[in-house]
Amino acid sequence: MKRSAGLLLFRHTDHGLEVLLGHMGGPFFARREAGAWTVPKGEYEPDEPAFDAARREFQEELGLAPPDGEAVPLGEVRQTNGKIVTAWAVAADLDPATITPGTFRMEWPPKSGQTQEFPELDRVAWFGLDAARAVIVKAQAAFLDRLTEHSV
């Protein structure tokens, strides 16, 4: 069973609570919005502590050091693909223009024998909670609910 860990950044603004999400890169998500945004996260091996993996993956996915500060555990969710995702919320303000996304390689187009490089996350943006619920991977919406419970 695959496991991923990530950090959900949040900030309080005049418009309310906002979260930082990343749009999944690559050709499968290029024309999708709903269900194509995610907590910056990545897979890790069983011998690596999940929180360490979350911080490492933040650095790899965004090209920025993970923020310091209290990490609020948001627990786990199981996505429809069976992957278990663990997340922590951290209060921080980050300018999406400063990211340098990590990349991955895959065969594209399928069965072409050609490989192309794609960004792990092709966009990063701040969302209010309602807008985030409309675009985030369905199972990860539970993290937004848990963050809301913590922020009350």
Side-chain angles (χ1 to χ4, degrees):
M1 175 180 347
K2 292 185 178 182
R3 299 183 71 87
S4 285
L7 298 180
L8 178 62
L9 268 51
F10 69 95
R11 67 184 183 184
H12 295 278
T13 71
D14 293 342
H15 305 289
L17 189 62
E18 294 182 341
V19 294
L20 185 77
L21 300 177
H23 185 270
M24 292 182 271
F28 299 120
F29 299 99
R31 291 184 172 85
R32 287 183 51 199
E33 289 295 311
W37 291 80
T38 182
V39 171
K41 61 172 181 42
E43 292 182 11
Y44 66 98
E45 297 299 321
D47 61 339
E48 182 179 16
F51 184 67
D52 293 349
R55 292 180 55 80
R56 174 182 51 76
E57 287 294 334
F58 186 93
Q59 174 92 39
E60 289 178 13
E61 299 243 329
L62 301 181
L64 299 171
D68 292 324
E70 178 189 1
V72 178
L74 299 177
E76 297 180 340
V77 298
R78 182 183 300 269
Q79 297 183 161
T80 55
N81 63 4
K83 182 184 287 185
I84 295 177
V85 180
T86 307
W88 287 263
V90 179
D93 199 358
L94 178 150
D95 179 355
T98 62
I99 72 156
T100 306
T103 60
F104 68 95
R105 296 187 66 76
M106 67 178 284
E107 182 180 12
W108 191 258
K111 300 179 184 175
S112 67
Q114 300 173 358
T115 58
Q116 292 188 40
E117 190 171 64
F118 298 96
E120 295 272 353
L121 299 173
D122 59 17
R123 290 176 277 155
V124 175
W126 288 99
F127 290 88
L129 293 179
D130 289 341
R133 279 188 185 87
V135 298
I136 198 167
V137 172
K138 187 176 180 180
Q140 293 180 27
F143 295 142
L144 303 177
D145 297 335
R146 295 170 192 167
L147 174 61
T148 302
E149 291 169 10
H150 171 76
S151 296
V152 174

